[in-house]
């Protein structure tokens, strides 16, 4: 094996990671939350912020807790299933049981028309379980008059070298993936004179599998009020608990070559855990005293996450039995490192109206600009011993190129054909969080010189598009006991990229390419998720 001269220059970048951050696509799953909570809330598509009187509004508009006139408690369990995917190597499950919510509201009457309410609610705001399977052929390109394969994951490392990405003070562009390829000797050979020669091995096709597991749990504490049954207010302090594991396998079949390299495989495992906190303030008011029509407004602060991460990656190479080299593998493990991640502010508007005691209609709109997210490096301690941090400016530019503002529209209704039965339906539309042309670890076709880039142990990324959710629900009341059931179907499509590249644009069939180009087709993928949720409630 041959050691790259870039390895020695990059030892400082790889070893001095006492103050590090993480890259955009790794943190993006922490930004958005699922539609989850009580079965009534989910069955109505979550469009109950202005209608209130549901404990799940504690996290979206806590003024809704102010509409409770009686104390209550509830708990929710369910099943979550992903369709159109396959497990691999006995990793992951397509269907999982989930404990989704438990909470209570304590209602205190001030007078006949006013209340002060206290509430606590636990709910799983994000189920991070996901399977993704992708397989694709690399396209043959016309080079010097002949059609041939020119693309591969390992060539992205070669492109960095050929374009001088590792030169001068850009050590932070040398990643753990680069180190695996160069230290294993895949991209580095000796010529007949004993000089270093950097090479790349085109591939015919690739196979990618990923399994993610984990959750974001919310522990919300709220105080709310009802003033003369016209004005409602609420304040929630929320604590978040993060547990996330992501494991992926990437392999590509190499075209015949003199070294006898037949196949390359990259396996990556990343662990992420930590806590965060935020606050939400909301109001609901009835503009007309004689009408049940209500309007709501809410504001949620950023979530201030304090996170810990670690990763391990392995590169395996299969050689021809008759070739000059043996098959083997190389593994690298990152240190455990701490960093901070701050989400943007979120704003909400909602409407609610009831017709008699048999029909409730709700609508809500939320907006958050995710390009304003901030990945921060821990850089010391203040006078009181608390960790201080500063923004990773270079990765911040990548965030602004990859993420954008997101609008969420929720619509829902509840119809009661009798005093004990309720039928519900809802719909959500969530606009894309990712820019269509977002690229991992790159800004304006130049690699980001960031500690987050150094810590990269996988090269794939997906720019997910809009999400649509459809919900149905049914409820039954027996005295003080309520039984609610909901079904949710959520679907989103995305553009999968196996790796980033310095090749600008796409080379269409028939065009002339060069041997230095590295082109991977964008592969369309989807995420189809089903949820069944049951809630047992009790009113005092």
């Amino acid at each position: 094996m041959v050691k790259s001269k870039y390895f020695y220059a990059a030892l400082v970048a790889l070893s001095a990671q006492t103050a590090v951050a993480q890259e955009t696509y790794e943190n993006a799953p922490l930004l958005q939350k699922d539609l989850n909570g009580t079965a009534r809330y989910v069955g109505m598509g979550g469009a109950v912020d202005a209608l209130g009187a549901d404990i799940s509004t504690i996290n979206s508009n806590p003024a809704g807790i102010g509409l409770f006139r009686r104390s209550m408690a509830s708990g929710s369990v369910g099943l979550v299933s992903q369709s159109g995917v396959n497990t691999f190597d006995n990793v992951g499950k397509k269907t999982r049981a989930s404990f989704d919510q438990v909470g209570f509201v304590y209602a205190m009457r001030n007078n006949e028309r006013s209340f002060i309410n206290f509430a606590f609610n636990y709910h799983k705001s994000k189920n991070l379980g996901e399977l993704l399977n992708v397989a694709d052929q690399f396209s043959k390109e016309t080079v010097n008059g002949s059609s041939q394969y020119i693309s591969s994951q390992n060539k992205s490392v070669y492109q960095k070298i050929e374009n001088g990405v590792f030169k001068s003070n850009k050590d932070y562009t040398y990643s753990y993936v680069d180190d695996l390829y160069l230290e294993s000797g895949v991209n580095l050979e000796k010529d007949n004179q004993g000089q270093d020669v950097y090479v790349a091995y085109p591939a015919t096709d690739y196979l990618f599998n990923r399994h993610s597991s984990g959750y974001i749990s919310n522990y919300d504490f709220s105080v709310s009020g009802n003033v003369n049954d016209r004005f409602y207010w609420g304040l929630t302090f929320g604590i978040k608990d993060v547990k996330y594991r992501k494991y992926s396998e990437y392999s590509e079949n190499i075209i015949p070559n003199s070294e006898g390299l037949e196949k390359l495989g990259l396996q990556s495992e990343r662990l992420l855990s930590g806590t965060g906190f935020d606050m939400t303030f909301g109001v609901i008011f009835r503009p007309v005293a004689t009408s049940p029509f209500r309007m709501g407004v809410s504001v949620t602060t950023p979530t201030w996450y304090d996170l810990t991460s670690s990763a391990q990656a392995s590169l395996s190479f299969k050689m021809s039995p008759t070739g000059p080299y043996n098959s083997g593998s190389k593994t690298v493990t990152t240190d455990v490192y701490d960093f901070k991640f701050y989400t943007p502010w979120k704003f909400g508007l909602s409407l609610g109206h009831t017709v008699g005691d048999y029909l409730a209609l709700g609508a809500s709109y939320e907006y958050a600009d995710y390009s304003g997210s901030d990945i921060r490096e821990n850089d010391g301690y203040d006078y009181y011993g608390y960790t201080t941090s500063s923004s990773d400016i270079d990765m911040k530019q990548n965030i602004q190129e990859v993420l954008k503002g997101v609008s969420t529209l929720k619509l829902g209704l509840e119809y009661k054909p009798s005093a004990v039965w309720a039928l519900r339906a809802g719909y959500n539309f969530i606009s894309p969080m990712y820019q269509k042309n977002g690229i991992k670890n790159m800004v304006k076709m130049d690699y980001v010189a960031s500690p987050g880039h150094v810590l990269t142990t996988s090269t794939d990324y997906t720019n997910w598009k809009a999400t649509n959710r459809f919900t149905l629900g049914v409820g039954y009341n027996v005295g003080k006991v309520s039984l609610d059931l909901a079904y949710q179907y959520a679907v989103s499509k995305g553009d999968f990229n196996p790796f980033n590249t310095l090749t600008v644009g796409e080379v269409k069939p028939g065009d002339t390419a060069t041997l230095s180009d590295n082109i991977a087709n964008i592969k369309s993928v989807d995420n189809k998720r089903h949820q069944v949720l049951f809630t047992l409630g009790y009113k005092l």
Side-chain angles (χ1 to χ4, degrees):
M1 299 299 175
V2 181
K3 283 191 179 294
S4 164
K5 62 183 178 181
Y6 298 111
F7 173 75
Y8 299 103
L11 277 177
V12 175
L14 292 175
S15 62
Q17 295 303 306
T18 56
V20 296
Q22 195 164 259
E23 64 91 20
T24 305
Y25 286 88
E26 297 286 358
N27 289 318
L30 305 182
L31 288 170
Q32 291 184 304
K33 60 182 182 180
D34 295 334
L35 176 65
N36 202 19
T38 67
R40 177 177 181 264
Y41 180 83
V42 172
M44 294 184 67
V48 300
D49 287 351
L51 293 169
D54 191 296
I55 196 169
S56 292
T57 62
I58 193 172
N59 187 252
S60 53
N61 186 342
I65 305 298
L67 276 85
F68 279 98
R69 299 186 179 186
R70 297 167 59 186
S71 299
M72 61 79 65
S74 67
S76 306
V77 295
L79 291 173
V80 178
S81 180
Q82 189 180 356
S83 61
V85 292
N86 298 305
T87 59
F88 60 99
D89 295 341
N90 296 317
V91 175
K93 297 180 179 179
K94 291 191 284 187
T95 301
R96 302 171 299 278
S98 179
F99 178 65
D100 294 288
Q101 177 270 329
V102 63
F104 69 87
V105 176
Y106 178 66
M108 289 197 317
R109 184 187 295 272
N110 279 352
N111 54 52
E112 185 177 347
R113 293 173 61 85
S114 298
F115 289 78
I116 292 290
N117 296 339
F118 298 91
F120 165 78
N121 191 51
Y122 159 85
H123 86 284
K124 188 176 291 181
S125 62
K126 184 74 173 180
N127 190 323
L128 294 168
E130 181 185 85
L131 283 161
L132 183 64
N133 316 116
V134 186
D136 196 24
Q137 288 276 135
F138 289 112
S139 299
K140 283 188 173 182
E141 309 296 343
T142 302
V143 180
N144 299 326
S146 65
S147 179
Q148 55 185 291
Y149 292 107
I150 63 171
S151 305
S152 64
Q153 183 193 66
N154 72 84
K155 194 173 185 178
S156 61
V157 183
Y158 172 80
Q159 276 194 321
K160 281 186 173 183
I161 297 169
E162 290 297 296
N163 288 274
V165 174
F166 299 145
K167 289 182 178 179
S168 66
N169 62 350
K170 284 199 170 185
D171 290 339
Y172 281 144
T173 59
Y174 185 93
S175 73
Y176 277 96
V177 172
D178 299 331
D179 184 49
L180 279 172
Y181 275 111
L182 290 172
E183 283 301 284
S184 65
V186 170
N187 292 104
L188 182 60
E189 300 292 341
K190 292 286 188 181
D191 62 15
N192 294 332
Q193 286 73 42
Q195 300 297 314
D196 288 348
V197 177
Y198 293 96
V199 296
Y201 295 93
T204 58
D205 60 282
Y206 71 84
L207 175 65
F208 177 84
N209 288 298
R210 185 178 68 211
H211 169 250
S212 302
S213 61
Y215 56 82
I216 302 175
S217 293
N218 274 43
Y219 300 85
D220 294 318
F221 304 84
S222 177
V223 58
S224 59
N226 172 349
V227 180
N228 294 322
D229 210 20
R230 287 281 306 276
F231 179 79
Y232 313 87
W233 58 271
L235 175 66
T236 292
F237 175 76
I239 300 173
K240 299 183 189 296
D241 176 35
V242 179
K243 291 288 187 296
Y244 185 36
R245 175 184 180 269
K246 185 174 73 170
Y247 173 78
S248 65
E249 296 179 351
Y250 173 92
S251 63
E252 51 190 12
N253 293 309
I254 308 300
I255 65 173
N257 55 84
S258 59
E259 285 76 23
L261 179 62
E262 295 182 342
K263 190 171 186 176
L264 285 169
L266 179 67
Q267 298 82 40
S268 172
E269 180 181 28
R270 181 170 294 278
L271 303 177
L272 180 67
S273 62
T275 58
F277 69 92
D278 60 16
M279 291 180 287
T280 301
F281 176 74
V283 297
I284 299 172
F285 58 94
R286 291 195 296 119
V288 180
T290 57
S291 171
F293 175 73
R294 297 189 279 271
M295 302 178 66
V297 179
S298 63
V299 178
T300 301
T301 68
T303 299
W304 294 283
Y305 281 112
D306 196 347
L307 301 166
T308 298
S309 185
S310 61
Q312 179 175 287
S314 298
L315 179 68
S316 59
F317 38 96
K318 180 182 178 182
M319 312 300 295
S320 170
T322 59
Y325 302 105
N326 296 324
S327 300
S329 65
K330 177 178 173 58
T331 300
V332 63
T333 301
T334 71
D335 292 332
V336 175
Y337 59 93
D338 301 323
F339 68 102
K340 289 179 169 56
F341 180 57
Y342 297 165
T343 69
W345 289 79
K346 182 171 65 178
F347 305 92
L349 299 172
S350 54
L351 304 174
H353 186 63
T354 57
V355 180
D357 59 358
Y358 64 89
L359 182 64
L361 304 170
S364 66
Y365 171 81
E366 295 175 348
Y367 179 80
D369 184 3
Y370 293 119
S371 68
S373 304
D374 194 10
I375 298 175
R376 304 179 66 85
E377 305 171 56
N378 292 341
D379 50 22
Y381 299 90
D382 62 17
Y383 178 80
Y384 300 99
Y386 294 104
T387 304
T388 60
S389 65
S390 57
S391 180
D392 183 344
I393 300 300
D394 295 283
M395 192 58 71
K396 177 73 173 178
Q397 294 177 342
N398 179 256
I399 291 175
Q400 293 169 347
E401 285 206 356
V402 170
L403 304 180
K404 61 181 179 179
V406 172
S407 295
T408 300
L409 175 66
K410 300 178 181 178
L411 303 174
L413 64 86
E414 178 181 60
Y415 172 67
K416 293 185 176 181
S418 69
V420 297
W421 285 100
L423 304 176
R424 302 167 185 131
Y427 169 73
N428 291 180
F429 174 80
I430 303 97
S431 66
M433 178 171 66
Y434 297 89
Q435 299 280 1
K436 181 179 180 181
N437 297 318
I439 305 177
K440 184 174 183 175
N441 284 334
M442 297 186 76
V443 174
K444 294 181 171 55
M445 297 309 299
D446 190 16
Y447 283 98
V448 175
S450 161
H453 186 170
V454 174
L455 293 163
T456 297
T457 54
S458 61
T459 63
D460 64 285
Y461 62 98
T462 305
N463 292 321
W464 291 101
K465 301 177 183 179
T467 298
N468 289 275
R469 300 178 183 140
F470 305 88
T471 66
L472 294 171
V474 60
Y476 181 70
N477 291 321
V478 185
K480 295 181 178 181
V481 177
S482 61
L483 307 172
D484 297 288
L485 186 67
Y487 167 75
Q488 176 184 179
Y489 173 66
V491 58
S492 54
K493 295 183 179 296
D495 291 332
F496 175 85
N497 298 265
F499 49 80
N500 57 21
T501 174
L502 284 170
T503 299
V504 180
E506 297 182 4
V507 179
K508 298 179 180 179
D511 289 349
T512 298
T514 67
L515 288 175
S516 62
D517 285 329
N518 192 20
I519 304 154
N521 299 324
I522 294 174
K523 186 72 173 178
S524 180
V525 294
D526 57 41
N527 186 347
K528 300 176 181 178
R529 184 171 296 189
H530 307 263
Q531 181 188 26
V532 177
L533 185 67
F534 172 75
T535 299
L536 173 64
Y538 182 80
K539 291 184 179 180
L540 301 180

